[in-house]
Amino acid sequence: MADKHATLELGGETHEFPVLSGSTGPDVVDIRKLYGSTGHFTFDPGYKSTASCESALTYIDGNEGVLLHRGYPIGQLAEHSSFMEVAYLLLNGELPSSEEFDDFNYTITRHTMLHEQLRQFYQGFRRDAHPMAIMCGVVGALSAFYHDSTDISDPEHRKISSHRLIAKMPTIAAMAYKYAVGQPFMQPDNNLSYTGNFLRMTFGVPAEEYEVIPAVEKAMDRIFILHADHEQNASTSTVRLAGSSGANPFACIAAGIACLWGPAHGGANEAALNMLREIGTPDKIPHYIERAKDKNDPFRLMGFGHRVYKNYDPRATVMQKTVREVFEALNVQDPVFETALRLEEIALSDDYFKEKKLFPNVDFYSGIILSAIGFPTTMFTALFALARTVGWVAQWNEMISDPAQVIGRPRQLYTGPTERDYVPLDKR
Ligand code: SDX
């Protein structure tokens, strides 16, 4: 029973609502009985003050720039862990023993292959189809191939569906790239790591051996870790809402992919690099800063700002460091990195950005790394979706495993016409 309460004075009546505490972070006012006891809804477009669920997966402190996955700081995971180990952690709650990790890796590795008939789906797309359009279509189509594991009430079905989704996303994403460039699809190689296998399926060709460069594999794996999960962001909330109706996990993840595609969300990594390339040289930065501040100009600094972080996104810190590592490993330079560093410096010293607490987010530097590795900008959000599938399936499992979960069904503040009689055409 909650020992803290919030009191609401409404219509001459006093109403008390329990205040609940988590293990850390803001308390919540439990308003589940508000409508029943007051006949009022809360009103919170964009859910800026709304906790939609209880979760034990990921904690963000936006003011302090803290991001924890099952309690472990993102900086430590990025430094010492691997994407597959973080996947295990998010799904199971604890870091695996070496035996548990080997078993998990073995299972994921052996689900990376795609059904031969699914490969036909790609032929229906134009060669210039955006990879996210392909990801939406092919991932949604997975539900047509795995009827043996869509009983979401069965923990074993949930487990194998989660493993299939995590395992097949790299294959699906790599095939989207191959289809775009007109090269043959590459079959998974079970002797490679999850990330090494993805790099080979993307950049390898049948005619020759593909050498996975360890520094690139590590950078790519770290980028996947940084994108794995992020509390109740828009695409995760989409997956949860879709899942709350009992939809199968493949359809739910396809819904998450669709939401992630937006430039305000996962599409920002593609938009951020396009913006940096449009800016070109540092002398053009002041013009774009002024445009970003102009209320009459829809232009925003892509890769800047965040609904939760009002401090530096801890993922951007790791991302910036990774740019230098990849440039050194590949012996490449890209002037756009200097432009990005200068843009960050100018923006963070500008009162507009300081007052609105707009800092670089995860998407600001990621595109520079992905471009240096060889990905076209159109693949950036597909890579985000690949990595975020781990968080989406972990969040979906957490929700479906909760016996108290109910279908999500928000209400509204109605401002349309009140009841009126139909007017026949000859009377209008
Ligand atoms: C991701 O939620 C998550 O966790 C998402 C994510 C994840 O891992 O899942 O972290 C991934 O989506 C990161 C965000 C990527 N998006 C971008 O980089 C696009 C550019 N950023 C903005 O569109 C914006 O900052 C959002 C969408 C990220 C956040 O928007 P909010 O919280 O709704 O804030 P807002 O739009 O109300 O902005 C507050 C003010 C506004 O000015 P006022 O109306 O108060 O005068 O700040 C301004 C905005 O105009 N503002 C910006 C800006 N972002 C906000 N001004 C210029 N450039 C920007 N980038």
Side-chain angles (χ1 to χ4, degrees):
M1 185 62 185
D3 53 7
K4 292 182 277 187
H5 290 83
T7 303
L8 177 66
E9 300 291 333
L10 190 59
E13 290 185 0
T14 301
H15 303 269
E16 283 214 334
F17 299 95
V19 172
L20 309 178
S21 299
S23 45
T24 183
D27 286 352
V28 298
V29 178
D30 181 350
I31 55 156
R32 282 175 284 189
K33 295 197 170 102
L34 175 77
Y35 180 59
S37 56
T38 70
H40 285 63
F41 299 138
T42 58
F43 187 62
D44 187 18
Y47 311 118
K48 295 190 176 184
S49 299
T50 295
S52 62
C53 64
E54 189 176 316
S55 178
L57 287 170
T58 291
Y59 173 70
I60 301 171
D61 181 330
N63 294 324
E64 299 303 318
V66 169
L67 168 56
L68 309 176
H69 290 316
R70 301 284 195 175
Y72 296 100
I74 189 65
Q76 293 184 28
L77 292 172
E79 187 66 30
H80 305 299
S81 187
S82 69
F83 182 57
M84 279 297 97
E85 188 176 69
V86 170
Y88 183 96
L89 172 66
L90 284 166
L91 282 168
N92 298 290
E94 296 297 337
L95 289 169
S97 65
S98 55
E99 188 184 346
E100 288 166 332
F101 188 53
D102 290 345
D103 183 45
F104 180 71
N105 249 333
Y106 180 89
T107 301
I108 295 296
T109 301
R110 276 150 189 81
H111 280 296
T112 51
M113 204 153 57
L114 218 51
H115 192 293
E116 273 302 296
Q117 281 180 249
L118 259 171
R119 294 156 68 97
Q120 310 309 322
F121 277 73
Y122 287 76
Q123 310 311 323
F125 290 101
R126 286 172 40 142
R127 289 282 179 180
D128 61 353
H130 195 288
M132 287 296 276
I134 295 176
M135 300 286 280
C136 285
V138 175
V139 172
L142 286 174
S143 50
F145 288 79
Y146 295 112
H147 295 291
D148 65 328
S149 64
T150 51
D151 174 1
I152 59 170
S153 64
D154 180 340
E156 279 310 303
H157 281 208
R158 292 202 299 271
K159 189 173 178 183
I160 188 169
S161 295
S162 301
H163 290 165
R164 278 172 166 151
L165 279 158
I166 292 170
K168 295 181 192 309
M169 286 301 273
T171 313
I172 292 168
M175 287 167 69
Y177 171 73
K178 286 302 198 190
Y179 187 71
V181 297
Q183 290 182 0
F185 296 146
M186 297 288 285
Q187 286 292 356
D189 179 343
N190 290 354
N191 299 309
L192 296 174
S193 71
Y194 180 91
T195 302
N197 179 43
F198 169 66
L199 289 169
R200 178 182 168 278
M201 289 192 291
T202 304
F203 297 117
V205 289
E208 58 189 40
E209 279 303 305
Y210 176 80
E211 183 204 346
V212 177
I213 302 171
V216 173
E217 182 182 23
K218 180 168 175 51
M220 191 76 247
D221 197 73
R222 186 185 298 163
I223 288 173
F224 287 158
I225 292 174
L226 297 175
H227 288 84
D229 189 47
H230 211 242
E231 202 209 65
Q232 304 312 318
N233 58 84
S235 54
T236 297
S237 299
T238 300
V239 170
R240 278 181 172 260
L241 196 56
S244 73
S245 75
N248 74 72
F250 305 102
C252 295
I253 300 308
I257 293 170
C259 178
L260 185 75
W261 195 357
H265 190 13
N269 53 15
E270 176 179 355
L273 189 63
N274 290 337
M275 173 194 73
L276 289 168
R277 295 218 189 285
E278 182 186 330
I279 293 173
T281 50
D283 61 300
K284 304 279 192 351
I285 289 173
H287 168 66
Y288 283 87
I289 293 274
E290 288 315 305
R291 282 192 60 195
K293 294 157 60 174
D294 179 356
K295 283 282 153 259
N296 300 316
D297 187 333
F299 173 80
R300 286 194 164 180
L301 278 190
M302 301 314 282
F304 257 77
H306 198 277
R307 171 63 59 76
V308 177
Y309 289 122
K310 302 309 171 190
N311 198 324
Y312 213 95
D313 183 335
R315 301 168 297 176
T317 307
V318 179
M319 212 61 94
Q320 190 194 99
K321 179 169 149 288
T322 306
V323 174
R324 302 186 201 291
E325 291 173 9
V326 169
F327 279 10
E328 190 179 327
L330 295 176
N331 192 26
V332 298
Q333 278 303 326
D334 184 343
V336 86
F337 183 43
E338 291 313 312
T339 303
L341 290 171
R342 188 81 184 98
L343 174 57
E344 174 186 336
E345 185 187 333
I346 295 173
L348 297 189
S349 61
D350 183 289
D351 288 343
Y352 173 93
F353 291 87
K354 286 196 284 192
E355 279 157 26
K356 294 181 188 300
K357 297 183 178 176
L358 302 174
F359 292 85
N361 59 48
V362 67
D363 294 311
F364 188 60
Y365 288 106
S366 58
I368 299 170
I369 304 168
L370 297 174
S371 177
I373 293 175
F375 294 100
T377 51
T378 50
M379 276 295 290
F380 291 2
T381 310
L383 300 176
F384 195 150
L386 187 168
R388 186 53 57 90
T389 295
V390 161
W392 288 333
V393 295
Q395 297 269 353
W396 173 78
N397 270 294
E398 182 179 63
M399 176 188 72
I400 296 293
S401 312
D402 176 0
Q405 77 93 12
V406 292
I407 189 169
R409 206 283 187 210
R411 300 303 301 274
Q412 64 181 8
L413 174 68
Y414 178 69
T415 55
T418 52
E419 187 172 342
R420 53 182 171 166
D421 293 329
Y422 180 76
V423 178
L425 183 59
D426 59 2
K427 295 269 190 301
R428 291 177 212 158

